[in-house]
Amino acid sequence: MDTYTLKVIARIHSDFPTKFGIPRQSGLIPELTAAVVFEPAYRNPEALRGLEEFSHIWLIWQFSEAVREEWSPTVRPPRLGGNRRVGVFASRSPFRPNAIGLSSVQLLRMEKWPGYGEVLIVSGADLMDGTPIFDIKPYLPSGDSHPEAAGGFAEKIPETRLDVDFPETLLEQIPAGSREALLAVLSQDVRPGYQRDEARIYGLPFGGFDVKFRVENGRVKVLALEEWKRE
């Protein structure tokens, strides 16, 4: 079997230190912002010349927490509640022969960070903090957008958004620039499709906090904020 080596050109810095709560695909929550920080060998500004002319870019990256030697021809997509199997190539599951992800994000701006060179600030990313990025390509509306495309089983299930009860005294502890993003993340119902116990308390690591919440009668009720510590 042929194998190839990919170079990590950048890593993303986002508010998600773990996989839990990350949007199931890019673009669902535009309020989420993240930074693409290039590895030292690729901090040449010439490599970004002209990129500012594009509004969106493709990120090609690795499901770094899902790398494994074995693979299965079928998976259980969370979108189907984890109860139905489909072919791995009919899904966006991270458990694939090659743990490669593809995300379309909006390029908000480029910033020069001391010690890091040019950094890309993007919105709508669905990547965990520290995710390795293999390549970046401009999004081309003329060829990459297909409004008439069929979305398969992913489009047959209606989008569900939950109301969020977030006590003001707790919400004020979240940095102002991250509040709308956190509310949007909670509203997308981050629970696994097979867990619907209304007594269960979940913890969502986000932006340095562990957000404790419960879902009751279709509403997210935030109970507490704790400092998040990596185990």
Side-chain angles (χ1 to χ4, degrees):
M1 183 182 296
D2 291 337
T3 60
Y4 299 87
T5 300
L6 293 176
K7 298 179 177 66
V8 176
I9 66 163
R11 293 182 185 273
I12 200 157
H13 289 256
S14 74
D15 283 319
F16 294 102
T18 70
K19 295 181 292 182
F20 185 60
I22 295 177
R24 67 177 180 275
Q25 66 182 39
S26 58
L28 283 181
I29 302 183
E31 297 92 341
L32 284 172
T33 59
V36 175
V37 180
F38 290 90
E39 294 290 281
Y42 302 99
R43 290 175 185 167
N44 188 332
E46 290 297 298
L48 299 175
R49 185 192 297 181
L51 189 63
E52 72 280 356
E53 298 179 21
F54 297 89
S55 66
H56 292 72
I57 57 177
W58 289 107
L59 302 179
I60 301 170
W61 48 279
Q62 183 184 53
F63 288 103
S64 51
E65 297 296 301
V67 177
R68 55 180 64 180
E69 291 295 328
E70 302 80 18
W71 71 284
S72 171
T74 62
V75 294
R76 300 175 185 266
R79 187 74 170 138
L80 296 176
N83 299 316
R84 174 184 159 193
R85 284 192 173 275
V86 301
V88 65
F89 300 130
S91 80
R92 295 191 174 186
S93 168
F95 305 110
R96 334 180 57 79
N98 292 300
I100 302 297
L102 177 68
S103 297
S104 173
V105 298
Q106 183 177 5
L107 177 59
L108 298 177
R109 61 188 180 276
M110 291 190 284
E111 294 181 351
K112 193 165 187 177
W113 287 9
Y116 294 95
E118 292 289 341
V119 171
L120 308 182
I121 306 301
V122 301
S123 72
D126 55 343
L127 285 73
M128 189 177 75
D129 185 56
T131 293
I133 296 173
F134 295 137
D135 203 3
I136 296 168
K137 298 179 184 293
Y139 177 97
L140 302 178
S142 59
D144 294 341
S145 177
H146 303 279
E148 75 286 358
F153 65 82
E155 301 295 331
K156 295 175 182 176
I157 301 172
E159 194 73 43
T160 57
R161 289 277 178 165
L162 306 180
D163 292 326
V164 180
D165 294 333
F166 207 130
E168 196 65 30
T169 54
L170 296 180
L171 188 59
E172 289 174 351
Q173 298 179 43
I174 304 295
S178 298
R179 292 172 191 169
E180 290 301 317
L182 177 54
L183 290 171
V185 168
L186 289 168
S187 73
Q188 70 169 347
D189 195 355
V190 301
R191 299 174 297 170
Y194 53 85
Q195 289 181 358
R196 289 297 181 265
D197 181 3
E198 294 196 348
R200 185 184 180 104
I201 295 177
Y202 298 86
L204 170 65
F206 184 90
F209 292 92
D210 189 3
V211 184
K212 301 295 186 182
F213 70 94
R214 175 188 290 133
V215 179
E216 297 178 354
N217 299 319
R219 299 182 70 88
V220 177
K221 295 189 176 183
V222 176
L223 308 173
L225 286 181
E226 299 176 3
E227 181 184 357
W228 186 81
K229 296 180 180 180
R230 186 180 296 275
E231 297 180 355

